Amino acid sequence: LLYIAREYEKIVPLRDRYKRGLVRIPTPKFFVFYNGEEAYPQEKILHLSDAFMERDTDINLELAVRVININTDKKHEILNKCPILREYSEFVETVRKYRKEEAQLQKAVNECIKKGILADYLYRKSSEVINMLMAEYDYETDIAVQREEAAEEATEKATKEADRKFLEHIDKLMKKMNLSAEEACKILEEPYDRYQTLKKSE
């Protein structure tokens, strides 16, 4: 979303933004090439609205992105149609075999050059590529982010379990004492609006 906004700022002349008439813009298509190590399908469509905090209202802003898994084991047809993309995927897989140290990354680059993987580019730009890989990867940040994500997942799991037990408790009390949900919440001294919100999201 942020990327396309910046692109349209470049494409649409400043004066055109003040026009009262409709200004035509190029029709966008969005793609993401996935080459991570976690399990991921060959293709998937992601929607911006998946990230919205509230989904029960009318969606006024949407964006669909086609994610293509370019890992070689997925054998996506795009790798046969685009040799450079295939070689890039092979390069990433080669780099993964080595530790994120300059000497090790140089070995990965040398191996790719010998195998003809992005050979021309790597021969000319090997030092820049290694510097980029070294700059992009930060082990401590990587570990810190993974820990944060694990903590968030654990908290989310615990919250869902607490919500499930809360609903279960209220429902049992309603059946046992023939009460309304609001009455059951009052007896348990729980907010009724919490019950309503959780029921809507089921």
Side-chain angles (χ1 to χ4, degrees), residues 169-185 187 195:
H169 200 177
I170 294 293
D171 290 340
K172 282 183 179 179
L173 190 60
M174 288 167 61
K175 290 177 182 178
K176 186 176 181 179
M177 300 183 65
N178 194 27
L179 300 172
S180 67
E182 189 171 5
E183 290 170 333
C185 286
I187 290 174
Y195 178 85

Side-chain angles (χ1 to χ4, degrees), residues 11-180:
I11 292 170
V12 180
L14 181 60
R15 294 182 64 85
D16 285 1
R17 300 175 201 173
Y18 295 92
K19 290 182 177 179
R20 286 181 291 176
L22 180 65
V23 176
R24 297 287 180 180
I25 57 177
T27 302
K29 286 189 177 181
F30 300 93
F31 297 89
V32 168
F33 294 135
Y34 175 81
N35 64 351
E37 296 183 75
E38 294 185 11
Y40 205 83
Q42 189 183 61
E43 276 198 26
K44 187 175 182 179
I45 302 296
L46 298 181
H47 295 90
L48 179 66
S49 60
D50 293 337
F52 291 172
M53 293 181 180
E54 297 178 10
R55 297 291 305 276
D56 57 348
T57 58
D58 291 335
I59 296 174
N60 295 314
L61 178 64
E62 185 59 284
L63 180 66
V65 180
R66 181 183 174 191
V67 183
I68 298 176
N69 192 331
I70 61 170
N71 284 306
T72 55
D73 63 317
K74 289 298 180 179
K75 299 179 180 178
H76 194 284
E77 61 179 359
I78 196 171
L79 297 180
N80 294 325
K81 295 179 179 179
C82 183
I84 293 296
L85 193 58
R86 185 186 68 249
E87 289 184 24
Y88 169 71
S89 181
E90 292 170 349
F91 169 71
V92 171
E93 289 184 1
T94 303
V95 168
R96 284 186 187 139
K97 294 192 302 183
Y98 297 86
R99 288 175 296 170
K100 293 287 185 175
E101 298 173 4
E102 187 171 354
Q104 297 296 322
L105 290 173
Q106 184 63 61
K107 288 182 181 180
V109 169
N110 292 342
E111 181 178 322
C112 288
I113 291 174
K114 287 179 182 177
K115 291 182 177 180
I117 299 170
L118 298 178
D120 291 341
Y121 181 80
L122 291 176
Y123 184 77
R124 290 183 288 109
K125 301 281 188 177
S126 62
S127 60
E128 288 92 333
V129 170
I130 291 171
N131 288 338
M132 178 193 70
L133 291 170
M134 291 293 293
E136 284 188 351
Y137 186 81
D138 183 326
Y139 178 78
E140 291 185 0
T141 301
D142 186 351
I143 296 301
V145 170
Q146 288 186 41
R147 286 175 178 168
E148 287 172 9
E149 287 183 335
E152 288 173 2
E153 288 175 4
T155 301
E156 184 179 353
K157 186 176 180 181
T159 300
K160 286 183 178 179
E161 180 63 16
D163 289 341
R164 185 189 66 77
K165 288 183 178 180
F166 168 71
L167 288 176
E168 192 176 85
H169 200 177
I170 294 293
D171 290 340
K172 282 183 179 179
L173 190 60
M174 288 167 61
K175 290 177 182 178
K176 186 176 181 179
M177 300 183 65
N178 194 27
L179 300 172
S180 67

